[in-house]
Amino acid sequence: MIQKHYSLENIRNIGFIAHIDAGKTTVTERILFYTGIVHQMGEVHEGTATMDWMVQEKERGITITSAATTCFWKDKRINIIDTPGHVDFTVEVERSLRVLDSAVVIFCGVGGVEPQSETVWHQADKYHIPRIAFINKLDRIGCDFEYVVETINSKLHPNAYPIQLPIDYKDEFIGVIDLLTLDAYIYDVDELGLEFSTIKYDKDERISHDLQRKVIETRNKLAEKLAEFDEALLKKYIEEDEITADDLKVALRKATLSCEFIPIMCGAALRNKGIQPLLNAIVDYLPSPTDVPAIEGIDPVTGNKKKIHVDESLPFASLAFKIQVNPYVGKLTYLRAYSGKIHKGDHVLNVNTGKKERITRIMHMHANKSVNVSTLYAGEISAVAGLSETASGDSITAVDAPMLLERIQFADPVMSVAIEPKTKADQDNLQNTLPRLLEEDPTYIITEDKDTGQTLISGMGELHLDILVDRLKREFKIDVNVGKPRVNYKETILDEADGEAKVERSVGGHGQYAEVKLHIEPYSDNFGGSSNKILIENQATEDEIPKEFIEALKAGIYESALSGFLTGNRVENVKVTITGGSFSLVDSSELAFKIAGSIAFKQALQNSNAALLEPIMKINITTPEEYMGNVINDLNSRRGKILEVHDKNKIKILNGLVPLSETFGYTTALRSASQGRASYSMEFKEYEIVPENISNQIIKKMRGYLE
């Protein structure tokens, strides 16, 4: 069944995204059960969920890596990617949303819009992805459907509005009412939720008169909102004609596809309620590959931009968005095919490397299991074997029709640990294994401490690094010693300065000559996605520095910026202007100008007022009111600050900022300050300048002056 070829109109590529513990994996598990893919529902808290297949996921009860699967509903093929909710693994969300056509954003009925909810929402905005909001856990004590709807509207999207209302009877969540059809779905037939009663909203005593009035009021408001996006519906609304369910469905689909409107649905996945209507909405309102705009690529030969349309008859074009390394199976590359098709055994071109590789297997994935297929078609997401030299973000196309797609941009790591192998055999295995694991997750970075010779692994947080070490030990049988986590600082400048350098050397009878003059100044911008975050402009004339040496000179500056003079960390947010220089017709070379550029930049940095940058985290703390004073005092002692306070049922929700360096051991401190009743979550926000007194201490410690 899974090998059946579906037309593009009958395919949905969706992702489940949310804050940690909102219920993404539980929703996915129910969808797989109701679509017949699994015959028994697994549970996250029991370690039996299908999509949480890693040992580390089962033990911790969280999703760590995005998992792909396929299911079928109403003769539609739904390709699903279940993504992590923990901020340390946000790379999995980023690269999944890059290749998906739509998303279901899941919110906790108690917590509402939480920090990572905002992060994943903005990631979806970045890729202009249509989405459905699903308010989950309405069976929980303290849940508040209207509160969550309000926070979605105020924090995320002004045109997010319910298309369902929850039914509560005797303080129990029993079902939902569809505002389009006015049908009520009451889950009273069996505990598994396979069958449920379908009645009209006003035909059951369990639906109160107050709720019936609210249904009509909310439906009228929904029609009013949707009329803004559909002329036919607007005409009916103005003329007060009867508005049918079909009228609303047409307008709802149009508004959802344009991202101008977000339908809000509800349920309780753990109690098996509300999932079938969500499946119906996925196939009815979310886009097929033909409904999304053509993506843009660049012809690497001409440099011209070109639209890539979803069409099986066109040359094959795809993006490798995820690499998975298994010690037994080898390397799998996940591809999103945008046009054309490829067959098992075909050769493809890696446009980024220029190398040809052969597809040895094509697989539809179901978490960590797979089904072999013969062909990968446009609009599909599948894993392939055979691409041994492909990295995440590479463009894989037909050999005779290269097309370069936009790469995925990843956040910089904010924390590091030193690791060292325990034995000589472990050392050899570590050198071979680490690069393979880093292929899976580009937010891991390997460096070497120049002073100690230690291997440093950088990542997005303590849990992120802990998972890598755990995988080394369990999957690859490598024993390592791990140092204490350390913060990844950066350096910048606060004022303008000049630097110059002259290189005059004789190498093997040949001279090397270059003179470079630079001016540097503070600069902050998004740098167009550049990972250098150093802007270089050339104002030198051809008589001073010929243009054939400029790229080498820039390379020297970029290389020099990798290590500042305060702490040896990377320099960022600097504009460099090449103001002049000189060359020799006989002895000048690219190497000479690269060296001169590096030296001149170092000198300019030393002439400037340099500063240290530290990662700042957004922190969200939930605490009983009586402990708020203790919590705020502790956060203030950590150089943190509270930005806003919200009240919810005698609970205080604090949003603020705190330096990452001050959060080590915070879990224990928060428990102590609240007698174990407060909780928190964090995510990276930005780098900020470290206060001078703190900066001096850090610099001395990193230079080895303090113990």
Side-chain angles (χ1 to χ4, degrees):
M1 182 178 179
I2 199 170
Q3 298 189 55
K4 175 183 174 181
H5 177 47
Y6 282 73
S7 63
L8 290 167
E9 294 77 13
N10 292 324
I11 293 176
R12 302 289 184 270
N13 294 312
I14 70 168
F16 287 103
I17 60 177
H19 185 88
I20 189 170
D21 202 33
K24 297 177 306 301
T25 302
T26 303
V27 170
T28 307
E29 197 72 20
R30 270 54 182 173
I31 285 177
L32 296 179
F33 178 72
Y34 296 132
T35 56
I37 299 300
V38 299
H39 302 293
Q40 182 176 351
M41 289 181 282
E43 304 295 351
V44 172
H45 59 275
E46 295 175 357
T48 57
T50 304
M51 305 303 281
D52 286 348
W53 56 271
M54 294 176 65
V55 174
Q56 294 84 358
E57 292 176 319
K58 294 179 183 295
E59 288 180 349
R60 290 168 171 81
I62 62 171
T63 301
I64 291 170
T65 182
S66 55
T69 190
T70 299
C71 64
F72 308 90
W73 187 256
K74 291 188 173 180
D75 204 32
K76 301 288 193 295
R77 172 179 168 175
I78 305 174
N79 298 318
I80 297 172
I81 295 182
D82 177 31
T83 67
H86 196 287
V87 63
D88 282 15
F89 308 102
T90 189
V91 61
E92 296 286 345
V93 183
E94 183 78 20
R95 59 184 176 190
S96 296
L97 290 176
R98 169 67 175 81
V99 300
L100 290 168
D101 300 326
S102 58
V104 175
V105 190
I106 300 175
F107 298 89
C108 173
V110 179
V113 177
E114 299 171 277
Q116 190 68 359
S117 308
E118 295 185 68
T119 298
V120 299
W121 190 277
H122 296 320
Q123 286 174 304
D125 282 342
K126 175 180 176 180
Y127 296 111
H128 201 65
I129 289 178
R131 69 212 78 152
I132 290 172
F134 183 79
I135 300 176
N136 190 30
K137 299 191 177 183
L138 291 182
D139 58 321
R140 290 277 187 93
I141 295 175
C143 68
D144 190 335
F145 177 77
E146 292 184 357
Y147 164 78
V148 182
V149 170
E150 180 186 335
T151 55
I152 293 173
N153 270 272
S154 61
K155 293 186 176 183
L156 302 178
H157 200 293
N159 285 326
Y161 200 75
I163 63 171
Q164 291 179 334
L165 289 180
I167 306 171
D168 290 322
Y169 180 68
K170 294 183 178 179
D171 295 326
E172 182 184 352
F173 173 67
I174 62 172
V176 299
I177 298 174
D178 187 320
L179 295 178
L180 282 71
T181 64
L182 296 178
D183 288 327
Y185 306 117
I186 300 178
Y187 289 81
D188 58 354
V189 179
D190 69 87
E191 291 186 357
L192 293 178
L194 284 166
E195 297 182 27
F196 47 87
S197 300
T198 303
I199 54 178
K200 284 301 175 182
Y201 79 103
D202 56 354
K203 301 298 183 184
D204 193 289
E205 63 178 9
R206 290 170 290 184
I207 302 174
S208 68
H209 292 297
D210 287 342
L211 180 55
Q212 291 176 28
R213 284 194 297 270
K214 186 176 179 181
V215 166
I216 297 303
E217 291 171 2
T218 311
R219 188 181 196 269
N220 290 338
K221 183 68 173 177
L222 174 64
E224 180 185 341
K225 283 186 170 290
L226 290 176
E228 299 175 17
F229 311 107
D230 186 89
E231 291 184 8
L233 183 61
L234 178 61
K235 183 179 179 181
K236 278 195 169 189
Y237 185 81
I238 293 173
E239 296 177 356
E240 297 185 352
D241 290 346
E242 181 188 357
I243 295 176
T244 67
D246 288 340
D247 294 331
L248 293 174
K249 284 182 179 179
V250 170
L252 179 56
R253 177 170 172 78
K254 182 188 299 184
T256 303
L257 294 185
S258 68
C259 294
E260 295 177 298
F261 184 85
I262 308 294
I264 299 178
M265 305 182 71
C266 57
L270 190 63
R271 301 290 175 243
N272 313 316
K273 298 171 182 176
I275 303 301
Q276 293 93 333
L278 176 61
L279 275 164
N280 292 336
I282 287 170
V283 300
D284 289 343
Y285 308 128
L286 293 183
S288 72
T290 59
D291 293 317
V292 297
I295 67 164
E296 196 170 82
I298 296 176
D299 187 324
V301 178
T302 64
N304 296 329
K305 293 182 178 179
K306 184 178 179 181
K307 296 287 186 182
I308 299 176
H309 297 276
V310 182
D311 188 335
E312 292 175 9
S313 65
L314 296 175
F316 182 71
S318 70
L319 186 75
F321 69 94
K322 177 180 171 67
I323 306 296
Q324 184 176 315
V325 178
N326 186 291
Y328 308 106
V329 179
K331 179 178 176 179
L332 297 180
T333 304
Y334 285 74
L335 298 181
R336 164 64 196 264
Y338 288 102
S339 67
K341 57 188 175 185
I342 52 167
H343 305 288
K344 174 185 174 182
D346 285 353
H347 283 84
V348 292
L349 175 68
N350 184 323
V351 184
N352 297 82
T353 64
K355 295 183 178 180
K356 298 178 185 177
E357 296 191 87
R358 180 174 174 270
I359 303 291
T360 57
R361 288 175 66 193
I362 302 174
M363 293 154 280
H364 290 328
M365 301 302 297
H366 179 52
N368 61 330
K369 299 180 175 61
S370 63
V371 175
N372 290 328
V373 295
S374 59
T375 308
L376 170 59
Y377 295 92
E380 294 184 346
I381 295 174
S382 294
V384 301
L387 305 183
S388 59
E389 298 188 46
T390 295
S392 184
D394 285 353
S395 300
I396 307 299
T397 70
V399 173
D400 55 354
M403 188 60 59
L404 194 61
L405 308 183
E406 181 184 357
R407 292 189 71 91
I408 308 168
Q409 299 296 330
F410 301 115
D412 293 332
V414 296
M415 186 178 292
S416 302
V417 293
I419 65 171
E420 57 183 25
K422 290 187 176 181
T423 67
K424 181 65 169 65
D426 288 328
Q427 181 176 0
D428 295 337
N429 290 336
L430 186 65
Q431 291 176 346
N432 294 328
T433 302
L434 274 179
R436 295 170 60 196
L437 286 177
L438 268 58
E439 282 186 281
E440 288 191 9
D441 189 341
T443 56
Y444 287 123
I445 294 178
I446 305 176
T447 55
E448 183 177 300
D449 189 309
K450 295 179 180 178
D451 298 322
T452 65
Q454 290 178 306
T455 298
L456 298 180
I457 304 296
S458 300
M460 303 307 297
E462 289 184 81
L463 179 60
H464 194 217
L465 295 167
D466 183 52
I467 294 298
L468 178 66
V469 172
D470 193 56
R471 290 191 64 193
L472 285 173
K473 293 178 178 179
R474 292 199 192 199
E475 294 178 31
F476 298 92
K477 313 302 180 188
I478 301 172
D479 284 331
V480 293
N481 294 317
V482 182
K484 292 182 179 179
R486 61 179 81 175
V487 174
N488 285 359
Y489 294 97
K490 294 180 181 179
E491 299 182 24
T492 191
I493 59 171
L494 302 178
D495 56 12
E496 302 182 18
D498 295 311
E500 60 180 287
K502 181 183 289 187
V503 173
E504 291 181 289
R505 299 177 186 174
S506 179
V507 181
H510 296 282
Q512 293 285 354
Y513 179 86
E515 183 182 16
V516 173
K517 297 179 181 180
L518 304 176
H519 178 78
I520 63 173
E521 58 189 284
Y523 184 78
S524 182
D525 198 0
N526 62 11
F527 293 88
S530 169
S531 60
N532 291 308
K533 298 197 176 177
I534 299 288
L535 180 69
I536 303 177
E537 290 185 358
N538 176 33
Q539 293 183 359
T541 66
E542 283 268 337
D543 292 335
E544 293 172 318
I545 304 176
K547 64 180 181 180
E548 61 262 31
F549 297 133
I550 294 298
E551 288 305 313
L553 196 164
K554 289 182 178 180
I557 295 171
Y558 286 136
E559 189 174 293
S560 183
L562 294 176
S563 177
F565 75 94
L566 289 179
T567 58
N569 287 287
R570 190 168 71 188
V571 179
E572 291 190 352
N573 299 339
V574 176
K575 179 181 178 181
V576 182
T577 304
I578 303 168
T579 57
S582 63
F583 73 103
S584 165
L585 289 172
V586 177
D587 293 330
S588 286
S589 66
E590 291 185 352
L591 176 61
F593 273 97
K594 181 178 180 181
I595 295 171
S598 176
I599 297 173
F601 183 71
K602 285 286 189 189
Q603 186 190 92
L605 288 179
Q606 292 177 351
N607 293 338
S608 72
N609 183 15
L612 205 60
L613 296 169
E614 65 179 341
I616 302 296
M617 311 298 287
K618 285 198 297 184
I619 189 166
N620 174 275
I621 307 169
T622 302
T623 178
E625 187 173 3
E626 60 264 36
Y627 301 111
M628 186 173 74
N630 294 344
V631 170
I632 292 177
N633 289 336
D634 180 75
L635 194 69
N636 289 339
S637 72
R638 297 171 182 271
R639 296 193 287 128
K641 54 185 176 182
I642 299 297
L643 301 180
E644 56 184 5
V645 180
H646 299 287
D647 293 301
K648 186 173 183 290
N649 300 330
K650 296 184 179 180
I651 295 293
K652 296 290 186 179
I653 301 172
L654 314 177
N655 293 320
L657 302 174
V658 62
L660 176 63
S661 61
E662 303 287 350
T663 64
F664 297 133
Y666 186 63
T667 299
T668 302
L670 185 62
R671 286 173 182 163
S672 176
S674 65
Q675 295 186 13
R677 295 177 61 189
S679 62
Y680 79 100
S681 62
M682 288 193 312
E683 61 176 298
F684 171 73
K685 183 180 185 292
E686 62 190 357
Y687 272 84
E688 284 188 359
I689 293 174
V690 182
E692 186 175 359
N693 61 322
I694 305 295
S695 175
N696 291 336
Q697 294 176 25
I698 294 170
I699 291 169
K700 288 179 180 179
K701 187 172 183 178
M702 295 185 74
R703 288 178 175 177
Y705 294 138
L706 294 179
E707 291 297 322

